[in-house]
Structure formats: structure tokens, C-alpha cells
Amino acid sequence: MKLHKPEERALALAGLAQSCYLVAGIARTGMASQDNLAGCLESIFVTNPNETIDVYNGGNGVRTGLRLVSEILGELKIGEHSETIHYLMAALSLEQRLSRAPNLMRSLGAGISAIQEHRNLNELAATDEDIISRLSRLYEETAGTVKPKIRIQGQQKHLANTMNTSRIRALLLAAIRSAVLWRQLDGTRSQWLLGRGKLLRANTRVSEIIS
């Protein structure tokens, strides 16, 4: 399915928003929808898509993200989604710094390929605990070394849980994947707010296409 560039940018923003929304949710409650988690983590492994929409399973992988973008840009629920917006901006900044570190980007790409090979060999889902742990370690060894680091706020009892921290790091990797796509589609850090009218219209069109 061929989309125009504004719609492709809307998809990338939806992927970014959904990943960051799940990060905030796990940090606060220790919970995340498995479908939403799968939609985000699967996108990490789609590195050579024919179309942008293929990164997100035909758009179905980021339905929650599309709703979030609509609520943030259209209904201006800024306060309700303040944590998501904070992590989103932090992920965009981190991706910018990563893009200036080619060695780290190569390590990140090689690591994703190795995890994908392990997945294929063992027929594992992206949400399998082993895959999430591997993605978490990859984040720590690559993006996690770039300063300033993304600081996660939440309930200590949830942040002290190893699986929760692994899911959060894996989702930050998914956020970076969407941030890379956003930049490749000529998106900028400020554009998603300053150009919100155009983005909102594109977001609505994508939502209608996949409904």
C-alpha cells in the first residue's frame, strides 16, 4: 500500500508515540498490552521494508499510536500524555546523537540482525522473554551508552523488576527505530508540534485506511 510522505511520517510518529506510551505505562503500573508490545517490537526487525506501512504490520501494529497522536495533536491532551511526550522528545534527541555515531549505528544494526537470526532459528516471537532480554542488552550496549541518558520515572517496585526494565529498554529501541524512520522521512523534532495540523490530517487518513 503506497502512502504519501505526510502519511508515512504520521505512521512513524505513531510508532514512536506508542513505544513511549508503553514505556510510561510499564514504569507506572508494570503492565502493557501484549498486542501493543508486539506491534512496537516487531518494527525493530523490519529493516528493509518495501513500504513504510510494512514496518508496522500494515498499520495494525500502531493503532494505539495513531489514537495517541490524534489525542495529543487533535484533542490537545498534553497533560494526560505528558510522560509519553517527554519520552518521545527524548527518543528523538537520542536518535539524533546516535546518527552522529556511525560505529554505534553499525553495532546496533549488526545486533538486530543477530537477534533476528536467533529468532528465526528458534521460531520465537518478538515478545518472547529471551528476545526482549537480548534487545534490552543491545540497547544498553549501544544507545544506552550515549549521554545524556533517557531517565525513566515511575514506581520503584515496577522499575526494580528485571523483566520490566528489559521491556522498557526494548521499547526504547523500538522508539529509536521509529525515530530513525521519522528522520528518514524528513521529520524534525519541532515539526510534530509546529506542523500539527498537517500531521493530524495525515494521521486521520492513515487511521481511515487501516480501519
Side-chain angles (χ1 to χ4, degrees), residues 12-22 64-66 68-69 72 84 88 178:
L13 184 59
L16 184 52
Q18 183 168 307
S19 296
C20 294
Y21 175 76
L22 294 180
T64 293
L66 291 166
L68 287 166
V69 171
I72 293 169
T84 297
L88 188 155
S178 288

Side-chain angles (χ1 to χ4, degrees), residues 72-74 76 191-201:
I72 293 169
L73 299 184
L76 296 179
Q191 185 182 35
W192 76 280
L193 284 178
L194 297 179
R196 71 183 185 88
K198 189 174 182 179
L199 260 176
L200 184 58
R201 289 191 293 274

